[in-house]
Amino acid sequence: MTSSPLHTAPLQHHQSLFPAQCYLGILLVALLSTICDACSEPPRHETMDLVGSPRPHYNVGERVLYVCKPGYQQRASSTIITTCAANGVWTPLSKDSCTTLFKYKSRKPCPTQSDPVNGQVKLLNGSFEVGSQIQFVCNEGFYLIGRSILKCLRSGSNVYWSSDPPLCEKILCEPPPKIKNGTYSSSDKEVFEYHEIVTYSCDQTSGPDQFSLVGEKQIYCSGNRAWSSEPPQCKVVKCPFPVVENGQQTSGFQKKYAYKAKVMFKCNQGFVLHGNDMIVCDADNTWKPPVPKCLKEPPCPPTSSTKPPNSSKPTTSGVSGALDFQDLNGWIFALTVGVFCNLLELQ
Ligand SMILES: *[C@@H]1O[C@H](CO)[C@@H](O)[C@H](O)[C@H]1NC(C)=O
Ligand SMILES: *[C@@H]1O[C@H](CO)[C@@H](O)[C@H](O)[C@H]1NC(C)=O
Ligand SMILES: *[C@@H]1O[C@H](CO)[C@@H](O)[C@H](O)[C@H]1NC(C)=O
């Protein structure tokens, strides 16, 4: 630096006096006008750092040096020196004096992945670039072996996929389970195709009771080595002969009641049905719902032992246990009917 002490003294050590001095003699004004032309702090750059700490003022003709920030490289034939020009402006620096070291390497994508046989590859991030993910899906009737999602990774200057692309294999099923006292269609096949159906049937017996098929009559190959459901069972199902006193059967007349047999009833005149008028023989040899009864008195609604009737609208009060008016009415009704019915049963 070649600036004289006259120039630097007021600038650096007596800044508060500086405006006052500007009003001094013509010589000083002329002198200071060159100082007032000085540059302020040099500009900051995204890609480069100033060498040394910046000062608030620089003299015309002073030069400052920059270095590229870590990860950036100075371009050949580029200069990263700036000079304080006479108008108090730093000579502009080319923005791309420093370029990214990895700029071109990071743009290198992973190798293109094409659709697998019997499947597709989906670009989750729209490209095969580093950091993006791709997903493999198999066509209907095929299943994926391997990882479905691959990520493009980088290590140094290498880009690679996080794993090998998966394969799409044809979905096949092994023969479905064999069942006791029954069989299924095409029971001699070794391999079943996707969505292929097998139908089970029960063996015929020479005895008095035939087997009933309980469960799904048909199942299908729904996935690789997977059937849509458990196979059915062949069971002898016998429900007891349903007897309703003071009532009569109206349909489903049979000598024996096997699985899924359906029977309907009605009560004789003067009697009221308690229960369901239609019952079905279930796999556990019982009627569902239970055989109804025909009684003189009307059936009772649920009494105090059960929950209060549900309110049709949600309670507006946030306080738990608060009853709204509808709840209260329901309670009163249930209790009244309950007491009335209990009195009747006591007679
Ligand atoms: C790529 O897409 C996936 C799924 O939409 C998302 O979770 C992930 O953040 C994305 N990755 C990038 C680098 O954008
Ligand atoms: C039903 O299967 C069992 C076991 O396989 C067998 O012992 C029995 O004889 C079969 N019953 C009839 C009636 O076929
Ligand atoms: C009453 O509400 C309970 C729980 O919200 C529900 O499980 C039940 O089915 C409801 N009963 C009636 C009769 O609406």
Side-chain angles (χ1 to χ4, degrees):
M1 280 196 277
T2 54
S3 52
S4 73
L6 241 185
H7 285 186
T8 52
L11 182 70
Q12 289 180 344
H13 304 296
H14 303 286
Q15 281 178 30
S16 57
L17 295 175
F18 189 58
Q21 283 182 356
C22 278
Y23 296 111
L24 291 180
I26 290 165
L27 184 71
L28 261 177
V29 168
L31 197 68
L32 283 168
S33 69
T34 54
I35 298 170
C36 290
D37 267 351
C39 297
S40 55
E41 222 176 271
R44 291 171 192 276
H45 288 276
E46 208 178 296
T47 57
M48 31 195 170
D49 283 327
L50 195 67
V51 175
S53 317
R55 304 198 314 267
H57 293 281
Y58 290 80
N59 299 316
V60 173
E62 262 194 90
R63 308 201 306 170
V64 295
L65 187 66
Y66 288 87
V67 287
C68 291
K69 283 188 178 174
Y72 292 88
Q73 200 173 29
Q74 187 177 350
R75 279 232 300 222
S77 80
S78 74
T79 161
I80 45 179
I81 289 170
T82 179
T83 310
C84 176
N87 53 0
V89 173
W90 292 102
T91 53
L93 271 182
S94 168
K95 267 189 182 163
D96 49 15
S97 300
C98 294
T99 55
T100 320
L101 262 181
F102 303 112
K103 196 171 181 177
Y104 299 104
K105 282 177 190 168
S106 68
R107 283 232 180 110
K108 189 172 119 188
C110 275
T112 301
Q113 294 280 1
S114 45
D115 288 344
V117 179
N118 301 310
Q120 284 136 39
V121 61
K122 292 178 177 174
L123 276 60
L124 296 183
N125 308 105
S127 77
F128 294 126
E129 273 169 30
V130 172
S132 51
Q133 294 177 320
I134 56 172
Q135 184 179 28
F136 288 85
V137 288
C138 294
N139 296 342
E140 174 89 5
F142 294 84
Y143 70 103
L144 196 98
I145 301 176
R147 291 192 179 271
S148 163
I149 291 180
L150 268 55
K151 192 170 183 179
C152 178
L153 301 173
R154 183 181 64 210
S155 168
S157 60
N158 289 332
V159 287
Y160 58 96
W161 290 108
S162 55
S163 60
D164 287 336
L167 298 173
C168 288
E169 283 282 326
K170 199 169 160 57
I171 289 176
L172 292 173
C173 282
E174 288 168 349
K178 289 192 169 16
I179 59 167
K180 265 189 202 171
N181 305 117
T183 184
Y184 57 81
S185 54
S186 49
S187 52
D188 51 342
K189 277 179 90 167
E190 296 279 301
V191 175
F192 291 79
E193 303 268 315
Y194 180 62
H195 275 185
E196 190 168 347
I197 296 170
V198 299
T199 304
Y200 282 88
S201 58
C202 292
D203 296 339
Q204 293 290 315
T205 63
S206 47
D209 300 310
Q210 295 298 319
F211 290 111
S212 297
L213 191 104
V214 177
E216 297 290 335
K217 188 179 170 69
Q218 293 190 319
I219 65 174
Y220 62 92
C221 175
S222 60
N224 198 48
R225 296 159 168 252
W227 290 93
S228 57
S229 69
E230 293 288 310
Q233 285 178 288
C234 288
K235 288 174 70 174
V236 172
V237 175
K238 271 195 287 188
C239 278
F241 197 87
V243 179
V244 176
E245 273 178 52
N246 303 312
Q248 43 189 285
Q249 193 175 334
T250 58
S251 73
F253 300 95
Q254 278 174 51
K255 282 199 191 103
K256 280 187 223 162
Y257 294 96
Y259 185 53
K260 293 218 163 144
K262 205 181 278 180
V263 173
M264 291 188 79
F265 300 95
K266 72 171 190 193
C267 290
N268 296 341
Q269 196 114 43
F271 292 87
V272 185
L273 192 83
H274 290 228
N276 211 312
D277 69 345
M278 193 190 77
I279 58 174
V280 178
C281 178
D282 203 3
D284 65 355
N285 304 315
T286 67
W287 293 101
K288 298 278 163 64
V291 182
K293 281 183 177 143
C294 290
L295 302 173
K296 277 236 160 84
E297 60 267 23
C300 292
T303 51
S304 50
S305 66
T306 62
K307 286 179 193 167
N310 286 351
S311 165
S312 59
K313 58 181 179 187
T315 41
T316 45
S317 158
V319 184
S320 70
L323 291 173
D324 69 17
F325 193 62
Q326 246 180 329
D327 276 334
L328 209 59
N329 275 345
W331 269 100
I332 290 164
F333 176 76
L335 284 173
T336 312
V337 175
V339 168
F340 177 72
C341 288
N342 286 339
L343 282 174
L344 271 178
E345 271 165 23
L346 282 176
Q347 286 173 348

